[in-house]
Amino acid sequence: MRPPTCLPARARPSLARRSVLAGIVLVIGSAAAPAWARPFTDAAGRVVEVPDRPLRILAAGPPASVLLYTLAPDRMLGWIRSPTAEERPFLAPGVRDLPATGRLTGRGGTANVEAVLALKPDLIVDVGSTAPTYASLADRVQAQTGIPYVLLDGHFSRTAESYRQLGALIGAQAAAADLAASAEAIVADVARVVATVPEARRPRVYYARGPKGLETGLAGSINVELLEVVGARNVAAAAGPGGLATVSPEQVLAWNPDVILTQDAGFRAGIAADPLWSGLEAVRAGRVHQAPALPFGWFDAPPGANRLIGIRWLAHVLYPDLFPQALDDATRDFYRRFYHVELDARQVETLLSGATGGRTP
């Protein structure tokens, strides 16, 4: 067994002792530890030595947690945070009770080196940005723990590729190929129809994030990638490139979007009576749509593979004449294929209630 690359020299003796112990365990036929077998080049260009078939995998952040759950729920060590009572019925019974592990990356990181070591993962996976900041974090955690840490690209356009990479990484190529093909088919079906929409018909959309609706994604933000996929125009792009940002009510009024999207039920419920918002064209016309969010957001939160069902929903609410089909069957199929659950009629109703702006889904 070889230690992962970038391991500091002072850590190697303890790893060597663990390797000897692991060898003894294998000889006596107790538990088999995965062997270090091969180098893996991740999406950041880092070469990391990984186990041949890692069985205990730690997700570094929410998008990684979703990708891992959809592909290999049996390999998960836990959730970034414990699922809520509302989320649990939409997760597979075998994994909904896994413990909270905290997050290593992104805003509000809660995991530390000691906690990671206590979980005894064979592998750490992160999905999202591959910028130097995140590559540096991966190198640092890997050096401190001796556990291989791999980065995968979290941009929506790379979802199918990330499935294939994760499948190759953990020895689940067949399942990954199936999910990747499904992801490509979902995107292609929507893109084919959206391509026929002339520029003048493409709605100007504001994404109202949070209970006050004043956080949004700027041009290029990973949190609003679906708008481009469905041919919509992000009004906040006028504020320039960036990630998430807080804007003023006056700025939103000046943009006067055609459509408002949110994932916050309280914000949607109160927007019509709020003088800060009630004068907007989208509010007056009833074009305020709340994205479903169980067990993960359909539009954002997190910006992961969970958004695949979101583009079908978003195309339905933005272009009802082009996508008139009910969402019930598409929702059931997606949850069966990706989330490993069979939805009943009440669960489908819960997901889609309020999600289509008052129209029958």
Side-chain angles (χ1 to χ4, degrees):
M1 180 181 291
R2 297 193 303 270
T5 57
C6 305
L7 188 65
R10 64 178 179 276
R12 289 176 185 165
S14 61
L15 281 179
R17 287 194 292 272
R18 288 204 296 270
S19 297
V20 171
L21 291 174
I24 293 172
V25 168
L26 283 170
V27 170
I28 65 176
S30 298
W36 301 106
R38 59 198 164 87
F40 180 88
T41 302
D42 72 6
R46 302 166 56 253
V47 179
V48 181
E49 293 216 18
V50 299
D52 183 49
R53 190 172 183 271
L55 301 178
R56 297 175 58 81
I57 305 175
L58 177 65
S65 186
V66 174
L67 195 74
L68 180 59
Y69 168 63
T70 56
L71 178 59
D74 58 316
R75 314 279 189 98
M76 297 176 66
L77 286 178
W79 299 101
I80 301 302
R81 60 165 178 77
S82 296
T84 66
E86 292 76 21
E87 293 165 346
R88 285 169 51 80
F90 295 90
L91 295 167
V95 293
R96 65 174 61 143
D97 294 322
L98 288 174
T101 60
R103 62 187 297 168
L104 282 166
T105 187
R107 296 191 297 179
T110 54
N112 55 42
V113 171
E114 290 75 19
V116 170
L117 288 171
L119 291 167
K120 300 179 181 179
D122 303 322
L123 176 69
I124 300 171
V125 175
D126 189 23
V127 178
S129 173
T130 58
T133 297
Y134 295 92
S136 176
L137 172 66
D139 286 339
R140 184 167 67 253
V141 172
Q142 181 172 283
Q144 291 172 335
T145 63
I147 300 164
Y149 188 132
V150 169
L151 290 173
L152 300 178
D153 194 323
H155 285 94
F156 186 76
S157 62
R158 307 292 288 275
T159 301
E161 180 180 346
S162 290
Y163 269 120
R164 293 187 176 101
Q165 286 185 322
L166 182 58
L169 176 62
I170 69 174
Q173 289 91 333
D178 181 62
L179 291 181
S182 295
E184 289 169 334
I186 291 169
V187 175
D189 286 346
V190 172
R192 182 172 55 252
V193 178
V194 168
T196 66
V197 180
E199 185 69 21
R201 277 201 61 197
R202 300 193 174 204
R204 300 170 63 256
V205 179
Y206 174 73
Y207 175 36
R209 210 171 188 265
K212 295 183 179 180
L214 294 175
E215 184 180 55
T216 195
L218 304 181
S221 169
I222 195 172
N223 303 86
V224 291
E225 285 183 309
L226 293 201
L227 294 181
E228 183 176 351
V229 176
V230 299
R233 294 172 286 174
N234 177 19
V235 295
L244 292 174
T246 299
V247 298
S248 67
E250 293 77 16
Q251 183 62 77
V252 180
L253 289 171
W255 288 331
N256 195 24
D258 304 317
V259 176
I260 295 174
L261 303 177
T262 184
Q263 285 192 167
D264 191 282
F267 172 78
R268 182 176 185 270
I271 190 172
D274 189 332
L276 291 176
W277 297 90
S278 58
L280 291 172
E281 173 62 27
V283 178
R284 293 198 304 267
R287 293 195 293 266
V288 179
H289 305 291
Q290 180 188 338
L294 295 173
F296 314 110
W298 284 22
F299 182 80
D300 183 23
N306 43 295
R307 297 175 293 174
L308 286 165
I309 184 62
I311 64 167
R312 180 66 181 81
W313 162 77
L314 190 54
H316 181 73
V317 298
L318 295 183
Y319 311 106
D321 54 329
L322 299 179
F323 295 91
Q325 301 87 355
L327 292 175
D328 301 59
D329 290 343
T331 300
R332 287 192 183 91
D333 181 68
F334 182 85
Y335 276 62
R336 179 186 308 114
R337 188 180 300 268
F338 285 84
Y339 292 164
H340 320 292
V341 292
E342 292 286 345
L343 298 179
D344 59 33
R346 179 173 294 183
Q347 287 177 308
V348 174
E349 181 181 359
T350 296
L351 286 168
L352 299 178
S353 176
T356 54
R359 294 186 300 108
T360 302

